[in-house]
Amino acid sequence: MKLIKKSMQPALDHEVVCQMLETIFEECGREPNTVPVEVLASYRNYRRERYAFQKVVLVIILLLFFMLPMLFMTPVCSISDSDVSEKGQPIYHVSVNTFLPISRVTATIEGRNVPVYETGNCAFSIEPTLNGKMTVTVTLANKQYTVEEVMVNAVDRDPPQLTSNRKDKNFIYLYFSDADSGIDYENISIKNLDGEELDIASYNEETGCVKLAYPKESLNIFVPDVCGNQLQLVLTMK
């Protein structure tokens, strides 16, 4: 038996429908139909459209119900400090675990903003310039956020120190030390009182010794470390 699809079935003419209704009501002993067929057909279409609208509304409500937890989802982040920058400062890496878009990542130490750099997908780096408790805040697009705190104590803020000195007939020997980032010997500068820059005779990184030609006048000596901290000495000849 060959089935006929519903969409392929021919529609009945209104006059045929009226005749069929009259015959059916007469055979059943009922009063004749007083509602026009056109009204019955339009009401049927109205019910079909209303049912479709209800299905759409129900689907939207279900979608909103399943998306509701996302409005309160908070990010999960981890912080590590495995690297060191070229200046000898620590680099902290922030990894965020979330599938929602990240709105912003901020870091502060004692109320001061610390630069945050995006290094990849949900990955950021922070290079603090001072020690203290660093507060990192990760905010998602749904306005939910997570706050993590880490103590920063590896930032070099101390200048080099003069440990000893000696002299002979021709030279003065100054000994420096810097336990953190180390002394930047190539950028040591010496100036006389007129601001003229002089050269050092030599230096020894292993012993921390800086050798100067015996001066005839007072000198200003600037000794920086790798992080940019600088020791300034005034060498006065007697």
Side-chain angles (χ1 to χ4, degrees), residues 62-75:
L62 290 175
L63 289 176
L64 292 176
F65 178 77
F66 287 113
M67 292 176 62
L68 186 62
M70 297 183 183
L71 299 178
F72 304 96
M73 185 173 294
T74 58

Side-chain angles (χ1 to χ4, degrees), residues 148-202:
E148 296 287 342
E149 294 181 345
V150 59
M151 287 301 301
V152 178
N153 50 25
V155 177
D156 183 8
R157 302 294 294 175
D158 299 323
Q161 299 294 320
L162 176 66
T163 57
S164 63
N165 62 87
R166 63 183 179 88
K167 63 181 180 178
D168 56 25
K169 293 181 180 181
N170 299 317
F171 297 98
I172 293 178
Y173 304 87
L174 303 176
Y175 293 85
F176 299 95
S177 67
D178 188 276
D180 297 320
S181 59
I183 297 173
D184 186 3
Y185 290 95
E186 294 184 358
N187 289 313
I188 294 177
S189 63
I190 303 173
K191 296 181 180 180
N192 58 22
L193 298 180
D194 295 329
E196 181 183 357
E197 191 162 349
L198 307 176
D199 294 330
I200 62 176
S202 64

